[in-house]
Amino acid sequence: MRHTISVLVSNEFGVLSKISGLFSGRGFNIESLCVAETLDPEVSRMTIVTRGDDKVIEQITKQLNKLVSVLKVHDLTAEEHIGRELALIKVSVAAENRAEVLSIVDIFRAKVVDVSPRSYTIETTGDEQKLRAIVELLRPFGIKEVARTGRIALSRSHRAKQGK
């Protein structure tokens, strides 16, 4: 089963390396990883997507909690949470299909962030299924490049601390 784990860490040199080393050293795969500073500049939030049964996730959680720079580990999978990804998609556009591409962009509430004579770069956010769907609809036009973030997620619970 796929799990989304939120990890609050000290915002200091080498923390990402320690956490990725923990995963690789124990043979756990990271499917996606996003890291950014929180409202507190001394704390960063990592959102890690990984796969495993309950026993594996418990082991990952325990190992993460052993690291000094880890402040809090929270598996969001079993509770209500909001998760999003961002994608930039550069797609070929000929004069005859520009309107059709723009129609797809509108349907997905995406936006064109760069225009060149032969391509549009489209920015879109949403869950994994939405991003997969827009990529599939744009594929026939000729996708030149795709850059995606990993998932970011926050609990819907009011118990979560603001800014941490």
Side-chain angles (χ1 to χ4, degrees):
M1 182 178 173
R2 211 165 186 205
H3 286 260
T4 302
I5 301 171
S6 176
V7 184
L8 293 176
V9 297
S10 298
N11 188 8
E12 58 192 28
F13 177 80
V15 173
L16 178 59
S17 175
K18 289 176 189 169
I19 290 180
S20 65
L22 181 150
F23 274 77
S24 67
R26 286 161 180 81
F28 305 132
N29 187 36
I30 296 175
E31 292 189 6
S32 76
L33 171 69
C34 282
V35 185
E37 191 177 282
T38 64
L39 288 176
D40 180 350
E42 295 182 7
V43 177
S44 291
R45 178 183 307 276
M46 291 185 172
T47 305
I48 301 170
V49 177
T50 189
R51 251 180 224 281
D53 58 22
D54 291 343
K55 188 175 177 182
V56 167
I57 300 305
E58 181 183 349
Q59 197 175 17
I60 289 171
T61 302
K62 284 181 178 176
Q63 294 296 322
L64 286 170
N65 277 315
K66 286 182 182 177
L67 297 175
V68 173
S69 51
V70 171
L71 306 173
K72 186 176 180 183
V73 179
H74 190 157
D75 184 358
L76 297 170
T77 309
E79 67 182 65
E80 284 192 51
H81 65 277
I82 301 165
R84 294 287 185 268
E85 294 182 20
L86 167 82
L88 294 174
I89 306 162
K90 188 181 293 183
V91 62
S92 296
V93 288
E96 63 271 12
N97 60 23
R98 286 180 184 265
E100 192 174 355
V101 170
L102 290 175
S103 174
I104 292 169
V105 168
D106 283 344
I107 289 168
F108 283 87
R109 289 188 229 158
K111 61 183 175 182
V112 175
V113 293
D114 189 54
V115 176
S116 75
R118 295 187 181 148
S119 68
Y120 288 156
T121 300
I122 298 162
E123 173 189 293
T124 186
T125 59
D127 61 24
E128 189 176 342
Q129 292 79 17
K130 177 183 174 184
L131 298 187
R132 192 176 311 129
I134 192 170
V135 166
E136 289 307 314
L137 286 174
L138 293 171
R139 190 179 304 275
F141 300 101
I143 293 176
K144 294 180 168 187
E145 291 180 74
V146 175
R148 290 177 66 167
T149 66
R151 184 182 303 165
I152 57 169
L154 285 177
S155 170
R156 285 184 178 252
S157 168
H158 60 280
R159 291 182 302 157
K161 290 182 178 177
Q162 190 73 301
K164 289 202 168 188

